[in-house]
Amino acid sequence: MKYTIQEDIGRHFLDNAVQLVKEGKKFVLVLDNIDWDVKVHDMRSGHQNKSVHAVASSIVFDRVSSDHLPNKDSQKTLRNCNLRDVLLLTNEEKQSTKERYKIFLGRIVCELFPAFHFLKGVVPAHTPCQYQAEMSCASLVVPLPVLMKDEKKYAEVVDVLDQLEVWVREIYSKAGRCAPPEPAHVLPGPPIAAPSRPDQPSSHVPPIPEANDPLANVRVPCFGDQLTRVRLAGAKDLRAGSHTPQDRFDHLYPYRIVDWHTKRSFLKVNLI
């Protein structure tokens, strides 16, 4: 009998997520693509190098609760909004940023230069903020199984979102927050030659809760790099005409960009 150690590890991580949801914590999903090449020793016409693609995902729990924030209407409309006024820092924010830079530079100097080690006790370990106790704790990250799907193909990205919907429903049902999933649920068939629209309009509209939806008030944000965000939004747009919230991916919203590649490139340029 084959020992399925990977399934046991996956169930262990899932049980941790269920326990945290029972405690009232909320989470987001973080996704990224994994690509690698499998090269053959002797290449022939029917035995070539292969490019393998997969999607890795993980659950990250919020350290600071956002339940007290309103989630009904937008604060401003883009039509009448001046982005410069929204993004422009105030003098107080600029001064606060400078004070934090002092702390960061102090840590770097004390760590890299032995002559300044005696100042370690003076430099604060954490920058002062409203949620200092929460931000001083490590993030709770729960890895999910790797899906052997190609992010460049919309049909396979739809499969990824289907699996994420299943995991979200399973976590909330085991935590006692909703009814268990229906085993007889049949997913809609793939669209026939239906490309996603360039702006993915239906993926950015906030879902309207339905009375018969077990997860009516559940919204799990999905984060990824720019390619991942576009693919997820396009896949959601393709399913916008489905009949059930699960098939429309209503519980996976919104889709946001995390520019970790940009940060890595910036660090790489500065280190070279």
Side-chain angles (χ1 to χ4, degrees):
M1 180 177 178
K2 185 178 179 181
Y3 182 64
T4 54
I5 187 172
Q6 290 184 333
E7 286 77 3
D8 291 343
I9 295 174
R11 283 194 295 269
H12 169 71
F13 286 133
L14 192 62
D15 292 340
N16 289 343
V18 170
Q19 182 60 37
L20 292 172
V21 172
K22 283 183 179 179
E23 298 173 2
K25 296 183 179 295
K26 294 185 178 181
F27 60 87
V28 302
L29 291 167
V30 181
L31 299 95
D32 197 13
N33 60 303
I34 309 174
D35 305 301
W36 69 93
D37 294 327
V38 177
K39 297 184 178 180
V40 299
H41 186 271
D42 297 318
M43 187 177 296
R44 302 182 181 87
S45 59
H47 191 51
Q48 300 284 329
N49 296 335
K50 294 188 296 183
S51 181
V52 186
H53 309 280
V55 175
S57 57
S58 60
I59 294 174
V60 181
F61 281 86
D62 298 336
R63 287 179 287 180
V64 179
S65 176
S66 59
D67 293 337
H68 62 286
L69 299 176
N71 194 26
K72 294 182 179 180
D73 301 320
S74 57
Q75 297 179 357
K76 293 183 179 181
T77 60
L78 290 176
R79 182 178 301 175
N80 303 323
C81 180
N82 188 345
L83 293 179
R84 182 177 180 181
D85 296 337
V86 175
L87 301 176
L88 192 64
L89 297 178
T90 63
N91 293 331
E92 182 181 358
E93 291 172 337
K94 291 179 181 178
Q95 183 61 32
S96 178
T97 303
K98 291 180 181 178
E99 296 298 328
R100 282 164 169 75
Y101 282 164
K102 291 179 183 179
I103 297 176
F104 297 147
L105 291 175
R107 292 179 189 169
I108 296 173
V109 168
C110 292
E111 181 180 355
L112 298 181
F113 299 96
F116 294 94
H117 284 181
F118 70 97
L119 294 175
K120 280 187 175 181
V122 182
V123 179
H126 301 285
T127 55
C129 64
Q130 182 179 358
Y131 302 100
Q132 188 166 352
E134 292 84 352
M135 299 307 294
S136 61
C137 300
S139 298
L140 299 172
V141 181
V142 179
L144 294 174
V146 175
L147 302 175
M148 302 305 297
K149 301 293 181 180
D150 189 356
E151 202 178 55
K152 297 186 293 295
K153 300 178 181 178
Y154 271 121
E156 298 193 12
V157 179
V158 168
D159 294 338
V160 172
L161 291 179
D162 276 326
Q163 184 60 61
L164 293 179
E165 276 278 353
V166 171
W167 284 335
V168 170
R169 181 70 179 272
E170 183 179 356
I171 291 173
Y172 274 87
S173 62
K174 288 185 176 180
R177 298 298 183 92
C178 71
E182 300 177 2
H185 178 74
V186 179
L187 297 174
I192 301 175
S196 176
R197 290 170 286 184
D199 52 351
Q200 301 108 12
S202 297
S203 65
H204 306 297
V205 179
I208 300 175
E210 295 185 5
N212 59 348
D213 182 13
L215 298 174
N217 296 318
V218 174
R219 299 289 180 268
V220 180
C222 298
F223 292 87
D225 57 19
Q226 297 187 33
L227 172 63
T228 301
R229 192 217 64 82
V230 170
R231 293 300 180 182
L232 294 178
K236 182 176 175 64
D237 186 64
L238 289 173
R239 282 280 192 89
S242 299
H243 298 288
T244 65
Q246 179 180 352
D247 294 337
R248 293 194 300 267
F249 310 130
D250 283 355
H251 312 115
L252 305 176
Y253 176 87
Y255 301 103
R256 293 290 180 260
I257 297 175
V258 182
D259 280 331
W260 50 66
H261 294 298
T262 303
K263 294 179 181 179
R264 187 182 66 175
S265 299
F266 173 77
L267 294 175
K268 186 185 298 183
V269 170
N270 283 279
L271 291 175
I272 292 177

